[in-house]
Amino acid sequence: MENTEKISDKRLNVGGSISYIITLVLYLLALIAAELLTTYVNKIWGLSLHTIILFALLVNASLVESTDFANLLRSLMPIPIIRVVGLSIPMMQIQPLYWFPIVAIPLFAASIVLMRNQGLSLKDVGLTLKGSAKLQVLIAATGFLSGIIEFFILKPAPLIEQFTPALLIGAFFILLISTGLAEELLFRGILQNNVTKTFGAAFGLIYTSLVFTTMHIGWIYFADLVFVFSVAMFYGYCLIKTKSIVGITVAHGISNSMLFLVMPFVNLAAFSLF
């Protein structure tokens, strides 16, 4: 009789896990739909769907029985917030470089709230130099290559008017904090760790990478989505192996600096030679 009860409980747990996975997949599809609407159809419709997703996550998190899954759903909430804030910025007369810290402010605020509510320490979210410092430096150095590769996919305009040391250093720290730290803290430090805690490392790595890639649909190029997914998988794997987001945070900041600050001028200089 006891064995029968254990088997029944196990089946119930498996069934609950499947329903939770389906829920996560539906939220991922909703985010993809919102990004496609924003990029290809109508920004207002995209903004509306992101708002609906935000409230759905809020209500869903308050109703589920599993504390771990509720925390996971709350970890997804800052993602539609990123887009709601980001879609409002172009309406203002703000230089593109300063979009990043404006979006990062609510992102940091949301991450801090999540950390406090879930009892997460700096070590829990990977803000630690755990493991080999040399390995973290090597991970950080990959940002140079990834930034160069992505530049030749996107060919963006520079975010600074002139290639001077002062502007370059200032812009680098803006991107390092606003994209590197803000995004890695949320996506890898909080979201991936929460998904991993609930469903395991493999699912956590793939799901977080897909969500991260979804937020790049606005760049239009499919090749960039493939590239971003590959980089996200690499960053997530580094987190699994090192339990730290320090190296990938710096790599992320360097990558965006190469993409938006350095390579546009390098490309322009090379083009002017021919």
Side-chain angles (χ1 to χ4, degrees):
M1 182 69 178
E2 290 181 1
N3 290 335
T4 303
E5 290 178 355
K6 288 180 181 179
I7 292 173
S8 177
D9 290 342
K10 186 175 181 181
R11 287 176 178 172
L12 181 62
N13 291 334
V14 170
S17 295
I18 292 174
S19 68
Y20 287 158
I21 289 174
I22 292 173
T23 299
L24 285 185
V25 171
L26 289 175
Y27 278 120
L28 174 61
L29 293 175
L31 287 170
I32 291 172
E35 287 299 289
L36 290 173
L37 278 175
T38 301
T39 304
Y40 296 104
V41 182
N42 185 290
K43 288 185 177 181
I44 301 300
W45 293 4
L47 177 62
S48 300
L49 183 52
H50 274 298
T51 304
I52 292 171
I53 294 170
L54 176 60
F55 280 102
L57 286 167
L58 178 64
V59 173
N60 200 170
S62 68
L63 295 177
V64 295
E65 295 180 0
S66 169
T67 301
D68 287 343
F69 191 64
N71 287 337
L72 197 168
L73 292 177
R74 294 187 184 100
S75 301
L76 285 168
M77 289 175 60
I79 296 171
I81 293 175
I82 295 172
R83 193 56 74 230
V84 169
V85 174
L87 288 174
S88 304
I89 292 173
M91 302 176 187
M92 312 174 192
Q93 297 299 318
I94 299 174
Q95 294 181 7
L97 175 63
Y98 301 113
W99 293 359
F100 296 99
I102 291 174
V103 172
I105 290 172
L107 194 55
F108 274 124
S111 295
I112 292 170
V113 169
L114 287 171
M115 289 174 64
R116 289 178 63 86
N117 287 343
Q118 297 178 20
L120 300 173
S121 66
L122 294 180
K123 182 180 179 180
D124 292 330
V125 297
L127 282 173
T128 173
L129 276 173
K130 188 174 182 179
S132 171
K134 185 179 295 185
L135 178 59
Q136 295 297 330
V137 172
L138 290 174
I139 293 171
T142 64
F144 290 101
L145 179 60
S146 61
I148 292 171
I149 293 173
E150 191 166 19
F151 172 79
F152 286 107
I153 297 173
L154 298 177
K155 295 286 184 69
L159 291 179
I160 52 178
E161 296 179 358
Q162 295 178 319
F163 192 75
T164 64
L167 289 177
L168 184 62
I169 293 171
F172 166 72
F173 280 106
I174 288 175
L175 293 178
L176 176 64
I177 301 300
S178 302
T179 63
L181 181 57
E183 294 181 14
E184 293 309 319
L185 177 60
L186 173 65
F187 284 97
R188 249 65 63 175
I190 298 176
L191 178 59
Q192 182 173 328
N193 278 325
N194 273 326
V195 182
T196 297
K197 183 178 181 181
T198 309
F199 300 108
F203 187 85
L205 173 61
I206 295 171
Y207 187 80
T208 304
S209 298
L210 287 171
V211 173
F212 184 77
T213 303
T214 296
M215 303 311 290
H216 291 76
I217 288 176
W219 286 103
I220 299 176
Y221 296 100
F222 180 75
D224 187 57
L225 295 180
V226 174
F227 176 75
V228 167
F229 179 74
S230 301
V231 172
M233 289 287 286
F234 171 69
Y235 286 172
Y237 179 76
C238 290
L239 173 64
I240 292 171
K241 290 299 180 180
T242 68
K243 309 300 181 185
S244 173
I245 65 169
V246 173
I248 57 179
T249 291
V250 179
H252 196 152
I254 291 175
S255 181
N256 281 338
S257 296
M258 295 299 294
L259 172 63
F260 293 116
L261 306 178
V262 178
M263 288 306 297
F265 290 101
V266 171
N267 186 62
L268 182 62
F271 183 77
S272 65
L273 294 176
F274 295 97

